[in-house]
Amino acid sequence: MNTRNSHRARAIVLHTLDYGESDRIATFYTREFGKLKGIAKGARRSRRRFANSLEPFSFTQVLFSRRGGGDSLAMVDQCEIIDHFPMIRSDLEKSVAASYLVELTGAFTVEGKRNEAVFQLLVDFLSLMENGPFRTGLLSFFEIRLLGLAGYEPILDRCSRCHVPLDAGRTFHFSNSRGGLQCSRCVSVPEAAPALSLGTIRSLLHGKALPARNLSRLLLSPRADDESRRLLVSFIRHILGRELKSWQVLRQLRQLDAINVDTC
Ligand SMILES: [Zn+2]
């Protein structure tokens, strides 16, 4: 059987790789098919069929064909830009942050498994970054939602051992191995993870539950921002067993910014 089926999908480009003289291999997160990898023949020569659509975090409509279903490599025939996110691309910090969102999505998803909520999450957060200022809180809210969609939702509304609620008058620590909070009575090695402020925990719960369009109005205190980043970066590194490249670049960029501000 050598028949190829043609498909059309809305997609965010997660990753691209130049291949041979003129081809490009791209990984997409599509609304209709989940994560999809395809080869675009002549992509680096044909502006008519691909324009500049095959770039990380572009929002495109992709036409492709493949044999059967599942996770075989697709042949990408054409890509049309829906949104190139020009305001993100003109800002270095936003560009690196958007690269982080797509790299993280790639790391937490498998090919051939459709999850429309993951696609919508990417579209919503890229739109928030395109239309508003960049805040690190957005990364935390994205991460906590993606973790939930990928089956790693951290337990933040109670102690993961004895189930006491947040208002029980105890302090809470986050445990990567338990994937959730432990109260001061259950935690075995208190110095391993510092106690979190209740404000941080409540901000994360709030940031997870709010409709995405309202997130640009949710401001984290410096302490909640800092504690959220530490908790989520450490938990994600624990799950993936590595730190993502784009996160390393973003962190270096922010350290550089801090030095420049200090020396001005
Ligand atoms: Zn407990």
Side-chain angles (χ1 to χ4, degrees), residues 11-14 27-31 57-59 85 88 97-106 109 115-130 142 145-146 149 212:
I12 300 287
V13 178
L14 299 182
T27 307
F28 304 90
Y29 200 91
T30 70
R31 186 177 64 179
F57 65 84
S58 284
F59 184 9
F85 300 113
I88 296 180
S99 301
Y100 173 66
L101 301 191
V102 293
E103 192 181 358
L104 195 65
T105 304
T109 51
N115 188 336
E116 202 171 322
V118 171
F119 171 81
Q120 196 57 49
L121 181 72
L122 269 176
V123 172
D124 287 345
F125 275 73
L126 289 170
S127 301
L128 280 170
M129 270 205 253
E130 174 73 2
F142 180 88
R145 286 165 189 237
L146 183 66
L149 292 171

Side-chain angles (χ1 to χ4, degrees), residues 18 36 43 61 66-67 69 180 217 222:
D18 286 346
L36 172 91
Q61 172 140 275
R66 64 180 173 185
R67 285 195 188 93
R217 294 203 292 271

Side-chain angles (χ1 to χ4, degrees), residues 34-158:
K35 190 159 82 171
L36 172 91
K37 192 178 275 189
I39 183 160
K41 292 275 187 191
R44 281 140 65 203
R45 281 205 285 253
S46 175
R47 291 194 59 78
R48 183 178 59 81
R49 280 165 53 226
F50 298 104
N52 51 358
S53 57
L54 286 177
E55 289 175 9
F57 65 84
S58 284
F59 184 9
T60 71
Q61 172 140 275
V62 56
L63 294 176
F64 68 95
S65 59
R66 64 180 173 185
R67 285 195 188 93
D71 53 4
S72 60
L73 189 70
M75 191 71 76
V76 180
D77 300 315
Q78 195 177 346
C79 263
E80 282 172 21
I81 284 273
I82 295 172
D83 197 336
H84 197 238
F85 300 113
M87 299 308 289
I88 296 180
R89 281 178 211 280
S90 65
D91 179 314
L92 180 59
E93 191 174 46
K94 281 186 178 184
S95 294
V96 180
S99 301
Y100 173 66
L101 301 191
V102 293
E103 192 181 358
L104 195 65
T105 304
F108 273 101
T109 51
V110 291
E111 276 174 58
K113 194 173 170 193
R114 175 184 167 156
N115 188 336
E116 202 171 322
V118 171
F119 171 81
Q120 196 57 49
L121 181 72
L122 269 176
V123 172
D124 287 345
F125 275 73
L126 289 170
S127 301
L128 280 170
M129 270 205 253
E130 174 73 2
N131 297 310
F134 173 70
R135 297 195 187 94
T136 46
L138 280 181
L139 300 181
S140 300
F141 301 147
F142 180 88
E143 289 163 335
I144 200 163
R145 286 165 189 237
L146 183 66
L147 284 166
L149 292 171
Y152 295 99
E153 177 141 3
I155 300 165
L156 292 173
D157 60 345
R158 62 188 184 279

Side-chain angles (χ1 to χ4, degrees), residues 159 161-162 164 170 183 186:
C159 172
R161 279 184 189 270
C162 71
V164 295
R170 301 181 193 172
C183 75
C186 294

